[in-house]
């Protein structure tokens, strides 16, 4: 079961790295007070998911590589998300003149 | 261990160290410009990991889209909104940090447990290696054709949406009557709309 130490880098090594990266992204997402940094944390989490997909595609699905196709789609959606997110951030900044997440409470009960 | 395996292992360890250190610095550094550049380094290192996994096309796409587009977009956003502001102190900040770190460590422990204890179906089929790019093309134009076309529509929608959201202009003439619009509106378009009024 734990013989993956011998033949590093194995599937498990990539999955562990992706898990660590995802957790760092979640922590940054919760704790950032700058709205731009929140978007950067989201990109980190998307990259962690992509590493997972690529590792599975290479080690478990070696002949069909469906994971790589999924990763391409994830990259596409990430680009769209970044563009729209930064546009929202820009218009929010013009209206509130701050990027502090604690000040964005327009929709809060 | 063969020399090929050792080289691969060393490359993996270096790239993993860059990814982890860069992302930690990206979320912790106080200067957000440094964070953005560290994020570019993380994206490059992830592209290197893709190369280790025999995925040259996705690695190139990662460099082009993440480093070339998203990171540059983030840098532009930082330049546009870069105002030195002293963030107001909020109550229980330390408590919040500690609790969220605990939650993230719990999530990490859960994921590590899943990764280590699951009996993965290894070794899978032989990897296609350098043929991967041609195989991705086949997938995109046969069984993943619909998502591929939908992705183009999504990108178009995102582009139009970003333009609409990011611009704020007041028409100089009224569309219906053709009269010159209220000059005050045009002047107001350069002032913030939603600033909090001083509480009366």
């Amino acid at each position: 079961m734990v013989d993956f130490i011998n033949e590093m880098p194995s599937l498990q090594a990539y999955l562990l790295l992706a898990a660590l990266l995802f957790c760092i992204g979640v922590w940054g997402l919760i704790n950032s007070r700058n709205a731009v940094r929140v978007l950067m944390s989201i990109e980190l989490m998307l990259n962690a998911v992509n590493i997972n997909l690529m590792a599975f595609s290479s080690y478990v699905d070696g002949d069909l590589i469906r994971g790589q196709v999924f990763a391409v789609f994830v990259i596409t959606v990430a680009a769209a998300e970044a563009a729209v997110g930064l546009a929202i951030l820009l218009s929010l900044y013009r209206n509130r003149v701050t990027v502090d997440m604690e000040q964005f409470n327009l929709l809060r009960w | 261990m063969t020399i090929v395996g050792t080289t691969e292992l060393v490359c993996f360890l270096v790239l993993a160290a860059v990814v982890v250190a860069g992302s930690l610095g990206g979320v912790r550094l106080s200067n957000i410009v440094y964070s953005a550049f560290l994020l570019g380094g993380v994206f490059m290192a992830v592209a290197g990991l893709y190369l280790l996994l025999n995925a040259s096309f996705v690695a190139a796409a990662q460099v082009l889209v993440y480093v070339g587009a998203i990171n540059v977009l983030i840098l532009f956003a930082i330049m546009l909104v870069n105002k030195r502001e002293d963030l107001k102190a909020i109550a229980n900040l330390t408590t919040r940090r500690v609790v969220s770190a605990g939650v993230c460590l719990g999530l990490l422990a859960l994921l590590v447990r899943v990764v280590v204890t699951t009996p993965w179906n290894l070794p899978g089929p032989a990897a296609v290696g350098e043929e991967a790019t041609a195989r991705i093309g086949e997938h995109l134009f046969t069984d993943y054709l619909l998502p591929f076309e939908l992705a183009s529509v999504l990108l178009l929608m995102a582009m139009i949406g970003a333009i609409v959201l990011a611009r704020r202009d007041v028409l100089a003439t009224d569309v219906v009557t053709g009269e010159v619009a209220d000059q005050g509106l045009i002047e107001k378009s350069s002032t913030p709309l939603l600033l909090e009024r001083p509480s009366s």
Side-chain angles (χ1 to χ4, degrees), chain B residues 73-92:
Chain B
L73 206 62
I74 287 176
L75 280 171
F76 266 102
I78 290 172
M79 280 195 292
L80 286 172
V81 303
N82 197 7
K83 195 185 66 165
R84 294 259 166 228
E85 56 180 317
D86 297 322
L87 298 178
K88 252 182 276 178
I90 49 175
N92 297 329

Side-chain angles (χ1 to χ4, degrees), chain A residues 21-22 24-26 29 36-51 74-86, chain B residues 23 27 39-40 42-43 46 50 62 65-67 69-71 73-74:
Chain A
L21 187 58
F22 188 83
I24 292 172
V26 171
L29 183 72
V36 183
R37 205 187 293 267
V38 171
L39 287 170
M40 287 163 50
S41 303
I42 294 175
E43 301 299 337
L44 284 182
M45 289 160 67
L46 284 168
N47 260 293
V49 173
N50 265 350
I51 292 177
V74 171
I75 290 176
T76 313
V77 174
E81 173 260 328
V84 174
L86 290 173
Chain B
S23 55
V27 298
L39 196 69
V42 171
F43 291 156
V46 171
Y50 293 168
Q62 166 92 7
V65 175
Y66 269 105
V67 184
I70 294 183
N71 207 23
L73 206 62
I74 287 176

